[in-house]
Amino acid sequence: QVLLQESGPGLVQSSETLSLTCSVSGGSISSYYWSWIRQPPGKGLEWIGNVFHGGSTNYSPSLKTRVTISLDTSRTQFSLHLTSVTAADTAVYYCAASPGHTFDYWGQGTLVTVSS
Amino acid sequence: SSDLTQPPSVSVSPGQTARISCSGDALPKQFASWYQQKPGQAPVLVIYKDTQRPSGVPERLSGSSSGTTVTLTISGVQPDDEADYYCQSADNSASDPVLFGGGTKLIVL
């Protein structure tokens, strides 16, 4: 059973960088793709991107110019950095683990509000 | 198109059968998954590889696939099944590796 826990600021100023960390326990860091997914209030799910062991990444085309996802195997955690945020980036951010393209495990989610 | 299209809502009475569809050009080539999300909670995987149920998911929930459409079927709907349901697949085109449908709210009357 893989357990995931998001952490980071709940409020970010407009135009600044949103940074979140997901701590992983109960699973091998080399066995999964590690993803970030977000959900604006009252809306659907949006995949942001993922990282695999070794550091290879994939990003959503709509966000790839602003997103960096990285993996820290020594700390068994991975991170999200989203630059130049606007109100449209206000959302619940989830981290998730997938052995392939199915998201088997999810964190509880963390709400990040972008303030002007 | 690489989109996945779901109806915004489906309404059903308790004990009846609910069917939630998801359509997209990627579906004949890639497996689909389904997630159940209740208010204030993270999504939970309920179907993967079109038809497979993770352990712990009731047999009342089943998945099927035909051409460009996959369907989540919930038999003997219970009030606790009221939730948002999302389909998800992949598109191996470089433009969009992971796709989510817009979500369907299952309303139990």
Side-chain angles (χ1 to χ4, degrees):
Chain A
Q1 178 79 357
V2 177
L3 298 177
L4 303 166
Q5 178 66 59
E6 304 91 350
S7 60
L11 184 66
V12 180
Q13 296 297 314
S14 181
S15 79
E16 298 194 344
T17 297
L18 180 159
S19 296
L20 296 173
T21 296
C22 182
S23 298
V24 179
S25 60
S28 169
I29 205 76
S30 62
S31 299
Y32 295 89
Y33 291 88
W34 305 98
S35 283
W36 288 96
I37 297 162
R38 70 180 183 179
Q39 184 172 36
K43 296 188 178 180
L45 300 167
E46 179 184 21
W47 179 75
I48 299 170
N50 65 20
V51 61
F52 194 56
H53 79 92
S56 61
T57 55
N58 294 287
Y59 299 129
S60 168
S62 64
L63 295 170
K64 67 181 301 181
T65 60
R66 299 194 291 131
V67 172
T68 302
I69 297 174
S70 58
L71 183 63
D72 185 340
T73 55
S74 63
R75 296 185 177 183
T76 60
Q77 61 186 25
F78 61 106
S79 299
L80 168 70
H81 298 282
L82 181 65
T83 62
S84 304
V85 297
T86 69
D89 295 308
T90 293
V92 174
Y93 285 77
Y94 295 100
C95 57
S98 54
H101 288 296
T102 293
F103 300 102
D104 291 35
Y105 304 103
W106 296 68
Q108 66 185 25
T110 186
L111 175 63
V112 179
T113 301
V114 177
S115 170
S116 56
Chain B
S1 169
S2 59
D3 294 339
L4 296 178
T5 301
Q6 299 180 235
S9 65
V10 168
S11 298
V12 64
S13 298
Q16 299 301 305
T17 296
R19 294 180 179 86
I20 301 172
S21 63
C22 172
S23 300
D25 292 340
L27 295 176
K29 297 169 286 186
Q30 297 289 339
F31 285 122
S33 304
W34 289 93
Y35 303 86
Q36 177 193 68
Q37 186 181 34
K38 296 183 178 180
Q41 298 182 19
V44 174
L45 178 68
V46 294
I47 295 289
Y48 67 100
K49 288 187 177 179
D50 291 347
T51 62
Q52 303 302 301
R53 268 188 311 276
S55 60
V57 174
E59 292 184 9
R60 303 185 295 105
L61 278 69
S62 63
S64 61
S65 176
S66 179
T68 59
T69 299
V70 294
T71 302
L72 172 68
T73 300
I74 306 174
S75 305
V77 166
Q78 302 175 359
D80 190 55
D81 295 325
E82 185 162 289
D84 294 324
Y85 292 85
Y86 293 90
C87 62
Q88 176 257 316
S89 188
D91 188 334
N92 282 335
S93 70
S95 62
D96 225 337
V98 175
L99 303 170
F100 280 103
T104 298
K105 182 167 184 60
L106 176 64
I107 300 168
V108 181
L109 301 171

